[in-house]
């Protein structure tokens, strides 16, 4: 068997890692908003609840989040500031608020990963941040009622922190795969401090 030196192995690992990171950075740096992302996932909630979801991101003001249970389907939709809820009895307007919009858009995680700065209106920047009492650096955008912080500033994201008033949600990413030319996570965990929601993605479709 032909032996391979440690230096050669390290070089191979470095080149492979650099290729994956650069692939994500190219997608992250794009500011083209002419794209959509749809997903389908199975969700397991700490405590035993299970359901499936479908999401559709079309642009920063238009997105859909759907929860499918065995006996009912709940659809939440935002469209240019108007909010809608359909629980099977017909679509009805929701009370318009920034929280409703952020709840729906907050579940479009792959759209945020692909175009974080563009979805932030070009207002995000890499800066010193404090997360749960620990200081670090992350890409952050702030509004009056909410903030989003993506960690780290460069390379493959590990966490996305969302804050809505007194609610803090930690989103973590695993099971990364090359998909449609970019690296995306197929397992995402949402932790709101009381429960954990594990999303196992069966389908991610990017249209540009």
């Amino acid at each position: 068997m032909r032996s391979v030196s440690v230096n050669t192995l390290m070089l191979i690992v470095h080149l492979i890692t650099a290729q994956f990171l650069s692939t994500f950075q190219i997608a992250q740096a794009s500011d083209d908003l002419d794209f959509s992302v749809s997903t389908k996932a199975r969700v397991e909630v700490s405590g035993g609840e299970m359901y499936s979801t479908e999401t559709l991101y079309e642009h920063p003001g238009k997105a859909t989040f759907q929860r499918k249970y065995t006996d009912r389907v709940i659809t939440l939709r935002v469209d240019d500031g108007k909010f809608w809820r359909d629980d099977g009895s017909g679509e009805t307007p929701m009370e318009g608020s920034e929280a409703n919009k952020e709840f729906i858009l907050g579940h479009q995680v792959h759209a945020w990963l692909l175009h974080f700065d563009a979805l932030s209106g070009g207002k995000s920047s890499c800066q010193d941040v404090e997360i749960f009492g620990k200081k670090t650096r992350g890409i952050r955008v702030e509004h009056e009622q909410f903030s989003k912080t993506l960690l780290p500033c460069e390379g493959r994201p590990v966490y996305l922190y969302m804050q809505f008033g007194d609610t803090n949600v930690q989103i973590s990413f695993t099971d990364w795969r090359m998909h449609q030319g970019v690296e995306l996570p197929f397992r995402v965990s949402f932790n709101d401090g009381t429960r954990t929601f594990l999303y196992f993605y069966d389908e991610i479709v990017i249209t540009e």
Side-chain angles (χ1 to χ4, degrees):
M1 176 181 287
R2 183 180 178 182
S3 62
V4 180
S5 70
V6 174
N7 288 338
T8 300
L9 286 174
M10 291 180 64
L11 177 60
I12 292 172
V13 172
H14 173 76
L15 290 174
I16 293 174
T17 303
Q19 181 182 9
F20 278 118
L21 292 183
S22 63
T23 300
F24 183 84
Q25 288 168 350
I26 290 172
Q28 177 69 21
S30 173
D31 60 358
D32 182 9
L33 286 180
D34 188 18
F35 80 106
S36 65
V37 181
S38 62
T39 71
K40 293 181 180 179
R42 295 169 289 110
V43 182
E44 297 179 1
V45 186
S46 57
E49 186 180 12
M50 299 177 68
Y51 54 86
S52 62
T53 64
E54 292 189 17
T55 66
L56 174 61
Y57 171 88
E58 296 180 74
H59 61 72
K62 188 174 184 179
T64 303
F65 174 66
Q66 188 175 74
R67 281 194 299 251
K68 293 185 173 183
Y69 300 91
T70 55
D71 59 343
R72 68 193 189 283
V73 176
I74 299 175
T75 303
L76 305 176
R77 182 166 63 88
V78 57
D79 189 351
D80 292 327
K82 296 180 180 179
F83 306 91
W84 307 88
R85 175 188 171 93
D86 187 350
D87 59 4
S89 58
E91 194 172 62
T92 56
M94 293 167 60
E95 184 120 353
S97 73
E98 216 38 50
N100 288 331
K101 176 181 177 181
E102 287 308 308
F103 179 84
I104 298 168
L105 289 176
H107 284 85
Q108 316 296 323
V109 291
H110 294 91
W112 280 100
L113 288 175
L114 289 167
H115 299 275
F116 189 88
D117 188 63
L119 268 65
S120 302
K123 298 179 181 179
S124 67
S125 63
C126 182
Q127 55 187 273
D128 293 327
V129 295
E130 186 170 320
I131 304 294
F132 299 127
K134 296 182 179 180
K135 293 183 178 180
T136 184
R137 287 184 64 78
I139 303 174
R140 187 174 179 86
V141 59
E142 294 186 47
H143 291 268
E144 291 183 5
Q145 300 182 37
F146 71 90
S147 68
K148 291 184 177 70
T149 306
L150 188 65
L151 303 178
C153 288
E154 297 180 352
R156 178 194 287 177
V158 178
Y159 296 110
L160 174 61
Y161 292 92
M162 297 187 181
Q163 182 176 11
F164 312 91
D166 296 329
T167 301
N168 292 281
V169 180
Q170 175 184 288
I171 304 172
S172 58
F173 311 105
T174 53
D175 190 14
W176 289 82
R177 309 177 195 173
M178 288 301 297
H179 181 68
Q180 291 191 230
V182 293
E183 195 181 20
L184 295 172
F186 275 71
R187 180 174 175 176
V188 177
S189 172
F190 291 73
N191 187 329
D192 64 4
T194 57
R195 292 182 296 173
T196 300
F197 302 77
L198 289 176
Y199 282 65
F200 300 89
Y201 287 89
D202 300 309
E203 182 179 297
I204 302 172
V205 179
I206 306 167
T207 304
E208 297 191 70

